[in-house]
Amino acid sequence: MATTDKYDRQLRLWGAGGQRKLMNSHILLVNADAVGTETLKNLVLPGVGKFTILDDKTLSPQDASVNFFLPAKKIGNFRAIVARDVLCEMNPDVEGFSLISNIEAEVEKGMFPEFGPRKKSLHHCEWFNH
Amino acid sequence: MVQSLSFLLFCIDSSFIEKFAVVIVTNPSLANMHLISSLCWDACVPLVVVKSYGFLGECRLQLREHDMMETKPDPEYLYLRMNAPFASLQQFCDSIDFSKQTPEEFAHTPFIAILRHEAAVWAAQHEGKPPQSRAEMKEFKAHLKTVGTPDEFYEDGTKKQSYLRDNYKEAQLNAGHFFESVKCPLSLVELFATDRLMRIDDTTSSTSKIDDFKVLLIALREYIEGPGEGIHWPLSGVVPDMTATSDMFMALQHLYKQKADEDRSAFKNILTSVLLRLKRASDSIPDEAIVTFCRNILNLRYLSSECSIRDRHQTPKADFARSFLNEETYWDDPTQVPY
């Protein structure tokens, strides 16, 4: 019995409660590589509430050759933004954010002395939400 | 715009990771993984670390505390209190006269009633005891098959090929469950034995996100010790599909639902007193959560990693890992497998 609710089939799997939990979730993905974007796709399609991609790398030819979500024509752009755009296209109900940041570099700069409270200056952290 | 500003503030605040339901890290560098592992552990946020290399992959969970109510096992075991019936169930089963049944009634008696009847018959023939061994259980099930395959005849008196009626087949399948000793299930025993679940300190850190689950468990334990007389928990009230007349099935569904509602009501009273004792509002746990909890008592689970991935890397279980390299102990003697 077909219904017009696009989430109908998965509701039969995890119920209204499960769907509500999914829709109220905000997922963080660190590293927009192939396995990461595929995983996020599996959350975006059923209607996760929000996601954020944390990645400061730009799209390389190697990335584009293994990842459907990072098209070759976008080589040179930030991976986090490209992946965010493509994923959001797959489900307009989902809100996506990108965070251009490099945690490792933050560690080296001493921003996380003992992984305690960090004093983050704004210019290290640029983010986009179109 | 307002949203964007608040998200920007997340970055400045060291607890930005607390906003996330799950953090997924893919193919991180070691330093990266250690950092995220610590952040997620401190914030009590579930972490999934995924590594892939061609066709090889690894997926690792770091869960400081994770409660589950709806684990949705398939198939789900529905506990029916067949051998410890409540009043209305007893009445229902007693009202069926097995000696005066039409063939139609015979083939549509619910298996619960069949089992209660046949168990009584067996007990009468075995000094009041249930089947004591695998052999006796086999005998009991064979008896069900005999009873459930009634003789049928053609008009001229020759015997027809008969078959085992579906409801008696269902009785056979559920006979094992019927004779299981009625006691607190292992899953609950394990939960109750987990110290950090059953204690709520006044100084509970704000990172504990499972307070509701803990309170419900405390109330459940009190229910079992109190109204449950040590062996019963609130009934889920769900009845499996079975071969029966519509009227009988609906009557069974009704009486099970009724009992479940009564149990849940008693549970709710206990829960309220527990909440007040913990100085929480008596309605701070929504009805929906209580209904879900009572419906899933046999499905409750709790997962907790021993330590963060970073800590595990810094204090590895070297002996445990090394033991797998010892082929003799691992392969030849199964009792030595160290898990």
Side-chain angles (χ1 to χ4, degrees), chain A residues 20 26-31 33 36 52 95 103-104 115 118 120 125 127, chain B residues 3-4 7-8 11 16 20-24 26-27 29 32 35 288 310:
Chain A
R20 209 174 327 127
H26 188 164
I27 311 285
L28 173 68
L29 170 69
V30 180
N31 289 338
D33 60 3
T52 298
E95 263 190 281
I103 288 189
E104 232 178 346
F115 305 127
R118 62 180 185 161
K120 196 160 180 49
C125 171
W127 69 277
Chain B
Q3 228 167 26
S4 38
F7 195 78
L8 203 57
C11 306
F16 87 108
F20 300 109
V22 174
V23 174
I24 304 169
T26 56
N27 296 310
S29 65
N32 232 336
L35 169 61
E288 213 193 311
R310 175 175 172 241

PDB file of all heavy atoms in Angstrom, chain A residues 20 26-31 33 36 52 95 103-104 115 118 120 125 127, chain B residues 3-4 7-8 11 16 20-24 26-27 29 32 35 288 310:
ATOM      1  N   ARG A  20      11.518  10.050  15.070  1.00  0.00           N
ATOM      2  CA  ARG A  20      11.605  11.313  15.804  1.00  0.00           C
ATOM      3  C   ARG A  20      13.018  11.518  16.347  1.00  0.00           C
ATOM      4  O   ARG A  20      13.574  12.609  16.293  1.00  0.00           O
ATOM      5  CB  ARG A  20      10.605  11.333  16.946  1.00  0.00           C
ATOM      6  CG  ARG A  20      10.131  12.741  17.291  1.00  0.00           C
ATOM      7  CD  ARG A  20       9.038  12.729  18.313  1.00  0.00           C
ATOM      8  NE  ARG A  20       8.187  11.566  18.188  1.00  0.00           N
ATOM      9  CZ  ARG A  20       7.898  10.732  19.181  1.00  0.00           C
ATOM     10  NH1 ARG A  20       8.378  10.931  20.370  1.00  0.00           N
ATOM     11  NH2 ARG A  20       7.126   9.679  18.983  1.00  0.00           N
ATOM     12  N   HIS A  26      21.670  15.734  15.607  1.00  0.00           N
ATOM     13  CA  HIS A  26      22.661  16.506  14.870  1.00  0.00           C
ATOM     14  C   HIS A  26      23.926  15.662  14.860  1.00  0.00           C
ATOM     15  O   HIS A  26      24.504  15.391  15.900  1.00  0.00           O
ATOM     16  CB  HIS A  26      22.899  17.852  15.580  1.00  0.00           C
ATOM     17  CG  HIS A  26      23.754  18.796  14.812  1.00  0.00           C
ATOM     18  ND1 HIS A  26      23.827  20.143  15.096  1.00  0.00           N
ATOM     19  CD2 HIS A  26      24.575  18.623  13.752  1.00  0.00           C
ATOM     20  CE1 HIS A  26      24.650  20.742  14.260  1.00  0.00           C
ATOM     21  NE2 HIS A  26      25.121  19.848  13.437  1.00  0.00           N
ATOM     22  N   ILE A  27      24.337  15.243  13.674  1.00  0.00           N
ATOM     23  CA  ILE A  27      25.477  14.332  13.540  1.00  0.00           C
ATOM     24  C   ILE A  27      26.709  15.116  13.114  1.00  0.00           C
ATOM     25  O   ILE A  27      26.613  15.999  12.252  1.00  0.00           O
ATOM     26  CB  ILE A  27      25.194  13.254  12.471  1.00  0.00           C
ATOM     27  CG1 ILE A  27      23.841  12.599  12.696  1.00  0.00           C
ATOM     28  CG2 ILE A  27      26.309  12.229  12.429  1.00  0.00           C
ATOM     29  CD1 ILE A  27      23.789  11.633  13.821  1.00  0.00           C
ATOM     30  N   LEU A  28      27.844  14.777  13.698  1.00  0.00           N
ATOM     31  CA  LEU A  28      29.101  15.394  13.266  1.00  0.00           C
ATOM     32  C   LEU A  28      29.927  14.370  12.501  1.00  0.00           C
ATOM     33  O   LEU A  28      30.153  13.267  13.002  1.00  0.00           O
ATOM     34  CB  LEU A  28      29.903  15.886  14.483  1.00  0.00           C
ATOM     35  CG  LEU A  28      31.314  16.405  14.194  1.00  0.00           C
ATOM     36  CD1 LEU A  28      31.250  17.702  13.390  1.00  0.00           C
ATOM     37  CD2 LEU A  28      32.099  16.632  15.482  1.00  0.00           C
ATOM     38  N   LEU A  29      30.361  14.727  11.302  1.00  0.00           N
ATOM     39  CA  LEU A  29      31.263  13.865  10.546  1.00  0.00           C
ATOM     40  C   LEU A  29      32.613  14.565  10.447  1.00  0.00           C
ATOM     41  O   LEU A  29      32.690  15.730  10.054  1.00  0.00           O
ATOM     42  CB  LEU A  29      30.734  13.615   9.131  1.00  0.00           C
ATOM     43  CG  LEU A  29      31.725  12.915   8.181  1.00  0.00           C
ATOM     44  CD1 LEU A  29      31.944  11.470   8.602  1.00  0.00           C
ATOM     45  CD2 LEU A  29      31.232  12.956   6.739  1.00  0.00           C
ATOM     46  N   VAL A  30      33.661  13.849  10.853  1.00  0.00           N
ATOM     47  CA  VAL A  30      34.996  14.403  10.738  1.00  0.00           C
ATOM     48  C   VAL A  30      35.689  13.677   9.590  1.00  0.00           C
ATOM     49  O   VAL A  30      35.847  12.476   9.638  1.00  0.00           O
ATOM     50  CB  VAL A  30      35.774  14.212  12.056  1.00  0.00           C
ATOM     51  CG1 VAL A  30      37.161  14.801  11.933  1.00  0.00           C
ATOM     52  CG2 VAL A  30      35.023  14.829  13.216  1.00  0.00           C
ATOM     53  N   ASN A  31      36.093  14.429   8.602  1.00  0.00           N
ATOM     54  CA  ASN A  31      36.720  13.912   7.364  1.00  0.00           C
ATOM     55  C   ASN A  31      35.699  13.521   6.313  1.00  0.00           C
ATOM     56  O   ASN A  31      34.997  12.516   6.436  1.00  0.00           O
ATOM     57  CB  ASN A  31      37.637  12.708   7.610  1.00  0.00           C
ATOM     58  CG  ASN A  31      38.904  13.118   8.317  1.00  0.00           C
ATOM     59  OD1 ASN A  31      39.286  14.288   8.267  1.00  0.00           O
ATOM     60  ND2 ASN A  31      39.529  12.175   8.973  1.00  0.00           N
ATOM     61  N   ASP A  33      35.724  11.973   3.601  1.00  0.00           N
ATOM     62  CA  ASP A  33      36.253  11.035   2.614  1.00  0.00           C
ATOM     63  C   ASP A  33      35.113  10.130   2.149  1.00  0.00           C
ATOM     64  O   ASP A  33      33.973  10.303   2.568  1.00  0.00           O
ATOM     65  CB  ASP A  33      37.446  10.240   3.177  1.00  0.00           C
ATOM     66  CG  ASP A  33      37.084   9.429   4.406  1.00  0.00           C
ATOM     67  OD1 ASP A  33      35.894   9.434   4.797  1.00  0.00           O
ATOM     68  OD2 ASP A  33      37.968   8.787   4.981  1.00  0.00           O
ATOM     69  N   GLY A  36      33.085   8.304   4.769  1.00  0.00           N
ATOM     70  CA  GLY A  36      32.371   9.258   5.610  1.00  0.00           C
ATOM     71  C   GLY A  36      31.130   9.810   4.932  1.00  0.00           C
ATOM     72  O   GLY A  36      30.045   9.866   5.532  1.00  0.00           O
ATOM     73  N   THR A  52      26.872  18.109  10.433  1.00  0.00           N
ATOM     74  CA  THR A  52      27.990  19.033  10.260  1.00  0.00           C
ATOM     75  C   THR A  52      29.179  18.236   9.757  1.00  0.00           C
ATOM     76  O   THR A  52      29.460  17.154  10.274  1.00  0.00           O
ATOM     77  CB  THR A  52      28.363  19.698  11.604  1.00  0.00           C
ATOM     78  OG1 THR A  52      27.260  20.463  12.067  1.00  0.00           O
ATOM     79  CG2 THR A  52      29.580  20.606  11.453  1.00  0.00           C
ATOM     80  N   GLU A  95      19.219  19.748   7.344  1.00  0.00           N
ATOM     81  CA  GLU A  95      20.054  20.953   7.385  1.00  0.00           C
ATOM     82  C   GLU A  95      21.515  20.550   7.496  1.00  0.00           C
ATOM     83  O   GLU A  95      21.874  19.772   8.383  1.00  0.00           O
ATOM     84  CB  GLU A  95      19.714  21.746   8.637  1.00  0.00           C
ATOM     85  CG  GLU A  95      18.743  22.874   8.430  1.00  0.00           C
ATOM     86  CD  GLU A  95      18.673  23.727   9.672  1.00  0.00           C
ATOM     87  OE1 GLU A  95      17.985  23.306  10.620  1.00  0.00           O
ATOM     88  OE2 GLU A  95      19.333  24.781   9.697  1.00  0.00           O
ATOM     89  N   ILE A 103      41.650  20.023  13.265  1.00  0.00           N
ATOM     90  CA  ILE A 103      41.837  19.771  14.691  1.00  0.00           C
ATOM     91  C   ILE A 103      43.298  19.502  15.023  1.00  0.00           C
ATOM     92  O   ILE A 103      43.822  19.969  16.025  1.00  0.00           O
ATOM     93  CB  ILE A 103      40.943  18.603  15.144  1.00  0.00           C
ATOM     94  CG1 ILE A 103      39.489  19.069  15.167  1.00  0.00           C
ATOM     95  CG2 ILE A 103      41.355  18.118  16.518  1.00  0.00           C
ATOM     96  CD1 ILE A 103      38.543  18.091  15.800  1.00  0.00           C
ATOM     97  N   GLU A 104      43.958  18.775  14.140  1.00  0.00           N
ATOM     98  CA  GLU A 104      45.364  18.443  14.391  1.00  0.00           C
ATOM     99  C   GLU A 104      46.214  19.696  14.537  1.00  0.00           C
ATOM    100  O   GLU A 104      47.050  19.809  15.423  1.00  0.00           O
ATOM    101  CB  GLU A 104      45.894  17.632  13.215  1.00  0.00           C
ATOM    102  CG  GLU A 104      46.551  16.364  13.648  1.00  0.00           C
ATOM    103  CD  GLU A 104      47.023  15.569  12.449  1.00  0.00           C
ATOM    104  OE1 GLU A 104      46.608  15.889  11.322  1.00  0.00           O
ATOM    105  OE2 GLU A 104      47.802  14.660  12.675  1.00  0.00           O
ATOM    106  N   PHE A 115      43.536  18.557  26.345  1.00  0.00           N
ATOM    107  CA  PHE A 115      42.185  18.357  25.815  1.00  0.00           C
ATOM    108  C   PHE A 115      41.171  19.012  26.729  1.00  0.00           C
ATOM    109  O   PHE A 115      40.062  18.540  26.883  1.00  0.00           O
ATOM    110  CB  PHE A 115      41.856  16.870  25.672  1.00  0.00           C
ATOM    111  CG  PHE A 115      42.860  16.146  24.841  1.00  0.00           C
ATOM    112  CD1 PHE A 115      43.492  15.008  25.314  1.00  0.00           C
ATOM    113  CD2 PHE A 115      43.216  16.620  23.589  1.00  0.00           C
ATOM    114  CE1 PHE A 115      44.424  14.338  24.540  1.00  0.00           C
ATOM    115  CE2 PHE A 115      44.158  15.958  22.815  1.00  0.00           C
ATOM    116  CZ  PHE A 115      44.750  14.811  23.298  1.00  0.00           C
ATOM    117  N   ARG A 118      39.176  24.952  25.473  1.00  0.00           N
ATOM    118  CA  ARG A 118      40.045  25.534  24.463  1.00  0.00           C
ATOM    119  C   ARG A 118      39.671  26.977  24.213  1.00  0.00           C
ATOM    120  O   ARG A 118      38.522  27.350  24.241  1.00  0.00           O
ATOM    121  CB  ARG A 118      39.971  24.720  23.173  1.00  0.00           C
ATOM    122  CG  ARG A 118      38.622  24.692  22.539  1.00  0.00           C
ATOM    123  CD  ARG A 118      38.664  23.872  21.279  1.00  0.00           C
ATOM    124  NE  ARG A 118      37.391  23.955  20.623  1.00  0.00           N
ATOM    125  CZ  ARG A 118      37.197  23.659  19.356  1.00  0.00           C
ATOM    126  NH1 ARG A 118      38.185  23.266  18.631  1.00  0.00           N
ATOM    127  NH2 ARG A 118      36.010  23.760  18.834  1.00  0.00           N
ATOM    128  N   LYS A 120      39.566  29.295  21.497  1.00  0.00           N
ATOM    129  CA  LYS A 120      39.629  29.248  20.045  1.00  0.00           C
ATOM    130  C   LYS A 120      39.425  30.639  19.490  1.00  0.00           C
ATOM    131  O   LYS A 120      38.462  31.304  19.792  1.00  0.00           O
ATOM    132  CB  LYS A 120      38.528  28.309  19.535  1.00  0.00           C
ATOM    133  CG  LYS A 120      38.732  27.882  18.118  1.00  0.00           C
ATOM    134  CD  LYS A 120      37.929  26.627  17.871  1.00  0.00           C
ATOM    135  CE  LYS A 120      38.080  26.118  16.473  1.00  0.00           C
ATOM    136  NZ  LYS A 120      39.454  26.012  16.030  1.00  0.00           N
ATOM    137  N   CYS A 125      38.523  29.300  12.588  1.00  0.00           N
ATOM    138  CA  CYS A 125      37.348  28.461  12.381  1.00  0.00           C
ATOM    139  C   CYS A 125      36.381  29.176  11.466  1.00  0.00           C
ATOM    140  O   CYS A 125      35.718  30.097  11.880  1.00  0.00           O
ATOM    141  CB  CYS A 125      36.712  28.169  13.743  1.00  0.00           C
ATOM    142  SG  CYS A 125      35.135  27.381  13.640  1.00  0.00           S
ATOM    143  N   TRP A 127      33.184  28.793   8.917  1.00  0.00           N
ATOM    144  CA  TRP A 127      32.156  27.821   8.587  1.00  0.00           C
ATOM    145  C   TRP A 127      31.194  28.462   7.612  1.00  0.00           C
ATOM    146  O   TRP A 127      31.101  29.663   7.490  1.00  0.00           O
ATOM    147  CB  TRP A 127      31.426  27.375   9.846  1.00  0.00           C
ATOM    148  CG  TRP A 127      30.610  28.472  10.385  1.00  0.00           C
ATOM    149  CD1 TRP A 127      31.008  29.486  11.184  1.00  0.00           C
ATOM    150  CD2 TRP A 127      29.236  28.725  10.068  1.00  0.00           C
ATOM    151  NE1 TRP A 127      29.985  30.340  11.419  1.00  0.00           N
ATOM    152  CE2 TRP A 127      28.883  29.912  10.744  1.00  0.00           C
ATOM    153  CE3 TRP A 127      28.305  28.061   9.294  1.00  0.00           C
ATOM    154  CZ2 TRP A 127      27.609  30.432  10.655  1.00  0.00           C
ATOM    155  CZ3 TRP A 127      27.044  28.595   9.221  1.00  0.00           C
ATOM    156  CH2 TRP A 127      26.713  29.766   9.893  1.00  0.00           C
TER     157      TRP A 127
ATOM    158  N   GLN B   3      20.608  31.200  13.618  1.00  0.00           N
ATOM    159  CA  GLN B   3      21.140  29.850  13.731  1.00  0.00           C
ATOM    160  C   GLN B   3      22.635  29.841  13.517  1.00  0.00           C
ATOM    161  O   GLN B   3      23.380  29.197  14.210  1.00  0.00           O
ATOM    162  CB  GLN B   3      20.483  28.972  12.665  1.00  0.00           C
ATOM    163  CG  GLN B   3      19.985  27.678  13.189  1.00  0.00           C
ATOM    164  CD  GLN B   3      19.095  27.019  12.169  1.00  0.00           C
ATOM    165  OE1 GLN B   3      19.229  27.266  10.989  1.00  0.00           O
ATOM    166  NE2 GLN B   3      18.191  26.198  12.630  1.00  0.00           N
ATOM    167  N   SER B   4      23.067  30.589  12.488  1.00  0.00           N
ATOM    168  CA  SER B   4      24.481  30.567  12.145  1.00  0.00           C
ATOM    169  C   SER B   4      25.292  31.140  13.294  1.00  0.00           C
ATOM    170  O   SER B   4      26.360  30.653  13.596  1.00  0.00           O
ATOM    171  CB  SER B   4      24.734  31.333  10.865  1.00  0.00           C
ATOM    172  OG  SER B   4      23.910  32.461  10.825  1.00  0.00           O
ATOM    173  N   PHE B   7      25.695  28.645  16.038  1.00  0.00           N
ATOM    174  CA  PHE B   7      26.621  27.570  15.701  1.00  0.00           C
ATOM    175  C   PHE B   7      28.051  28.038  15.801  1.00  0.00           C
ATOM    176  O   PHE B   7      28.937  27.301  16.197  1.00  0.00           O
ATOM    177  CB  PHE B   7      26.335  27.003  14.307  1.00  0.00           C
ATOM    178  CG  PHE B   7      27.019  25.700  14.103  1.00  0.00           C
ATOM    179  CD1 PHE B   7      26.497  24.540  14.651  1.00  0.00           C
ATOM    180  CD2 PHE B   7      28.226  25.620  13.421  1.00  0.00           C
ATOM    181  CE1 PHE B   7      27.135  23.336  14.502  1.00  0.00           C
ATOM    182  CE2 PHE B   7      28.874  24.413  13.269  1.00  0.00           C
ATOM    183  CZ  PHE B   7      28.321  23.274  13.813  1.00  0.00           C
ATOM    184  N   LEU B   8      28.276  29.289  15.453  1.00  0.00           N
ATOM    185  CA  LEU B   8      29.615  29.865  15.576  1.00  0.00           C
ATOM    186  C   LEU B   8      30.057  29.815  17.028  1.00  0.00           C
ATOM    187  O   LEU B   8      31.198  29.520  17.341  1.00  0.00           O
ATOM    188  CB  LEU B   8      29.579  31.312  15.076  1.00  0.00           C
ATOM    189  CG  LEU B   8      30.893  31.923  14.620  1.00  0.00           C
ATOM    190  CD1 LEU B   8      31.496  31.075  13.517  1.00  0.00           C
ATOM    191  CD2 LEU B   8      30.634  33.328  14.108  1.00  0.00           C
ATOM    192  N   CYS B  11      31.724  26.700  18.321  1.00  0.00           N
ATOM    193  CA  CYS B  11      33.153  26.494  18.081  1.00  0.00           C
ATOM    194  C   CYS B  11      33.979  27.105  19.189  1.00  0.00           C
ATOM    195  O   CYS B  11      35.049  26.628  19.501  1.00  0.00           O
ATOM    196  CB  CYS B  11      33.550  27.128  16.756  1.00  0.00           C
ATOM    197  SG  CYS B  11      32.553  26.543  15.422  1.00  0.00           S
ATOM    198  N   PHE B  16      31.412  22.160  22.590  1.00  0.00           N
ATOM    199  CA  PHE B  16      30.575  22.155  21.383  1.00  0.00           C
ATOM    200  C   PHE B  16      30.187  20.745  20.966  1.00  0.00           C
ATOM    201  O   PHE B  16      29.180  20.527  20.320  1.00  0.00           O
ATOM    202  CB  PHE B  16      31.272  22.899  20.242  1.00  0.00           C
ATOM    203  CG  PHE B  16      32.207  22.050  19.407  1.00  0.00           C
ATOM    204  CD1 PHE B  16      31.866  21.687  18.114  1.00  0.00           C
ATOM    205  CD2 PHE B  16      33.425  21.621  19.911  1.00  0.00           C
ATOM    206  CE1 PHE B  16      32.730  20.922  17.342  1.00  0.00           C
ATOM    207  CE2 PHE B  16      34.286  20.855  19.151  1.00  0.00           C
ATOM    208  CZ  PHE B  16      33.937  20.498  17.863  1.00  0.00           C
ATOM    209  N   PHE B  20      26.097  17.218  19.674  1.00  0.00           N
ATOM    210  CA  PHE B  20      25.902  16.183  18.669  1.00  0.00           C
ATOM    211  C   PHE B  20      25.369  14.891  19.275  1.00  0.00           C
ATOM    212  O   PHE B  20      25.755  14.487  20.360  1.00  0.00           O
ATOM    213  CB  PHE B  20      27.218  15.906  17.923  1.00  0.00           C
ATOM    214  CG  PHE B  20      27.760  17.107  17.222  1.00  0.00           C
ATOM    215  CD1 PHE B  20      28.892  17.747  17.684  1.00  0.00           C
ATOM    216  CD2 PHE B  20      27.112  17.620  16.102  1.00  0.00           C
ATOM    217  CE1 PHE B  20      29.388  18.866  17.042  1.00  0.00           C
ATOM    218  CE2 PHE B  20      27.596  18.738  15.457  1.00  0.00           C
ATOM    219  CZ  PHE B  20      28.730  19.373  15.926  1.00  0.00           C
ATOM    220  N   ALA B  21      24.474  14.249  18.521  1.00  0.00           N
ATOM    221  CA  ALA B  21      23.924  12.977  18.971  1.00  0.00           C
ATOM    222  C   ALA B  21      24.954  11.865  18.783  1.00  0.00           C
ATOM    223  O   ALA B  21      25.053  10.957  19.592  1.00  0.00           O
ATOM    224  CB  ALA B  21      22.656  12.660  18.185  1.00  0.00           C
ATOM    225  N   VAL B  22      25.692  11.947  17.686  1.00  0.00           N
ATOM    226  CA  VAL B  22      26.722  10.953  17.365  1.00  0.00           C
ATOM    227  C   VAL B  22      27.837  11.681  16.634  1.00  0.00           C
ATOM    228  O   VAL B  22      27.568  12.594  15.864  1.00  0.00           O
ATOM    229  CB  VAL B  22      26.170   9.846  16.429  1.00  0.00           C
ATOM    230  CG1 VAL B  22      27.277   8.900  15.988  1.00  0.00           C
ATOM    231  CG2 VAL B  22      25.074   9.061  17.113  1.00  0.00           C
ATOM    232  N   VAL B  23      29.081  11.269  16.895  1.00  0.00           N
ATOM    233  CA  VAL B  23      30.204  11.794  16.123  1.00  0.00           C
ATOM    234  C   VAL B  23      30.782  10.642  15.316  1.00  0.00           C
ATOM    235  O   VAL B  23      31.026   9.563  15.849  1.00  0.00           O
ATOM    236  CB  VAL B  23      31.282  12.392  17.046  1.00  0.00           C
ATOM    237  CG1 VAL B  23      32.500  12.809  16.242  1.00  0.00           C
ATOM    238  CG2 VAL B  23      30.729  13.569  17.823  1.00  0.00           C
ATOM    239  N   ILE B  24      30.973  10.885  14.026  1.00  0.00           N
ATOM    240  CA  ILE B  24      31.554   9.867  13.151  1.00  0.00           C
ATOM    241  C   ILE B  24      32.891  10.387  12.653  1.00  0.00           C
ATOM    242  O   ILE B  24      32.968  11.477  12.088  1.00  0.00           O
ATOM    243  CB  ILE B  24      30.643   9.583  11.937  1.00  0.00           C
ATOM    244  CG1 ILE B  24      29.238   9.187  12.407  1.00  0.00           C
ATOM    245  CG2 ILE B  24      31.229   8.481  11.067  1.00  0.00           C
ATOM    246  CD1 ILE B  24      28.210   9.152  11.290  1.00  0.00           C
ATOM    247  N   THR B  26      36.184   9.358  10.249  1.00  0.00           N
ATOM    248  CA  THR B  26      36.630   8.369   9.271  1.00  0.00           C
ATOM    249  C   THR B  26      38.116   8.535   9.005  1.00  0.00           C
ATOM    250  O   THR B  26      38.599   9.649   8.795  1.00  0.00           O
ATOM    251  CB  THR B  26      35.860   8.512   7.957  1.00  0.00           C
ATOM    252  OG1 THR B  26      36.013   9.843   7.469  1.00  0.00           O
ATOM    253  CG2 THR B  26      34.385   8.228   8.168  1.00  0.00           C
ATOM    254  N   ASN B  27      38.822   7.413   9.017  1.00  0.00           N
ATOM    255  CA  ASN B  27      40.248   7.364   8.702  1.00  0.00           C
ATOM    256  C   ASN B  27      41.031   8.518   9.325  1.00  0.00           C
ATOM    257  O   ASN B  27      41.675   9.301   8.624  1.00  0.00           O
ATOM    258  CB  ASN B  27      40.435   7.362   7.178  1.00  0.00           C
ATOM    259  CG  ASN B  27      39.832   6.120   6.561  1.00  0.00           C
ATOM    260  OD1 ASN B  27      40.095   5.014   7.005  1.00  0.00           O
ATOM    261  ND2 ASN B  27      38.992   6.298   5.547  1.00  0.00           N
ATOM    262  N   SER B  29      43.913  10.497  11.657  1.00  0.00           N
ATOM    263  CA  SER B  29      45.285  10.284  12.114  1.00  0.00           C
ATOM    264  C   SER B  29      45.184   9.921  13.592  1.00  0.00           C
ATOM    265  O   SER B  29      44.171  10.150  14.240  1.00  0.00           O
ATOM    266  CB  SER B  29      46.095  11.571  11.955  1.00  0.00           C
ATOM    267  OG  SER B  29      45.566  12.554  12.819  1.00  0.00           O
ATOM    268  N   ASN B  32      44.484  12.901  15.883  1.00  0.00           N
ATOM    269  CA  ASN B  32      43.095  13.314  15.676  1.00  0.00           C
ATOM    270  C   ASN B  32      42.133  12.413  16.427  1.00  0.00           C
ATOM    271  O   ASN B  32      41.216  12.853  17.117  1.00  0.00           O
ATOM    272  CB  ASN B  32      42.772  13.244  14.180  1.00  0.00           C
ATOM    273  CG  ASN B  32      42.181  14.534  13.671  1.00  0.00           C
ATOM    274  OD1 ASN B  32      41.605  15.296  14.441  1.00  0.00           O
ATOM    275  ND2 ASN B  32      42.333  14.768  12.388  1.00  0.00           N
ATOM    276  N   LEU B  35      42.281  12.840  20.190  1.00  0.00           N
ATOM    277  CA  LEU B  35      41.625  14.070  20.620  1.00  0.00           C
ATOM    278  C   LEU B  35      40.113  13.913  20.619  1.00  0.00           C
ATOM    279  O   LEU B  35      39.425  14.198  21.603  1.00  0.00           O
ATOM    280  CB  LEU B  35      42.039  15.212  19.685  1.00  0.00           C
ATOM    281  CG  LEU B  35      41.236  16.497  19.840  1.00  0.00           C
ATOM    282  CD1 LEU B  35      41.387  17.069  21.229  1.00  0.00           C
ATOM    283  CD2 LEU B  35      41.650  17.515  18.798  1.00  0.00           C
ATOM    284  N   GLU B 288       4.671   8.619  27.704  1.00  0.00           N
ATOM    285  CA  GLU B 288       5.090   7.848  26.527  1.00  0.00           C
ATOM    286  C   GLU B 288       6.315   7.006  26.839  1.00  0.00           C
ATOM    287  O   GLU B 288       6.404   5.847  26.437  1.00  0.00           O
ATOM    288  CB  GLU B 288       5.414   8.832  25.403  1.00  0.00           C
ATOM    289  CG  GLU B 288       5.108   8.315  24.029  1.00  0.00           C
ATOM    290  CD  GLU B 288       5.725   9.188  22.979  1.00  0.00           C
ATOM    291  OE1 GLU B 288       5.547  10.415  23.068  1.00  0.00           O
ATOM    292  OE2 GLU B 288       6.399   8.637  22.078  1.00  0.00           O
ATOM    293  N   ARG B 310      41.304   6.357  23.354  1.00  0.00           N
ATOM    294  CA  ARG B 310      42.617   6.936  23.666  1.00  0.00           C
ATOM    295  C   ARG B 310      43.226   6.251  24.877  1.00  0.00           C
ATOM    296  O   ARG B 310      44.396   5.859  24.875  1.00  0.00           O
ATOM    297  CB  ARG B 310      42.466   8.423  23.924  1.00  0.00           C
ATOM    298  CG  ARG B 310      43.759   9.084  24.375  1.00  0.00           C
ATOM    299  CD  ARG B 310      43.572  10.574  24.504  1.00  0.00           C
ATOM    300  NE  ARG B 310      44.748  11.178  25.119  1.00  0.00           N
ATOM    301  CZ  ARG B 310      44.726  11.848  26.263  1.00  0.00           C
ATOM    302  NH1 ARG B 310      43.599  11.986  26.923  1.00  0.00           N
ATOM    303  NH2 ARG B 310      45.832  12.371  26.746  1.00  0.00           N
TER     304      ARG B 310
END
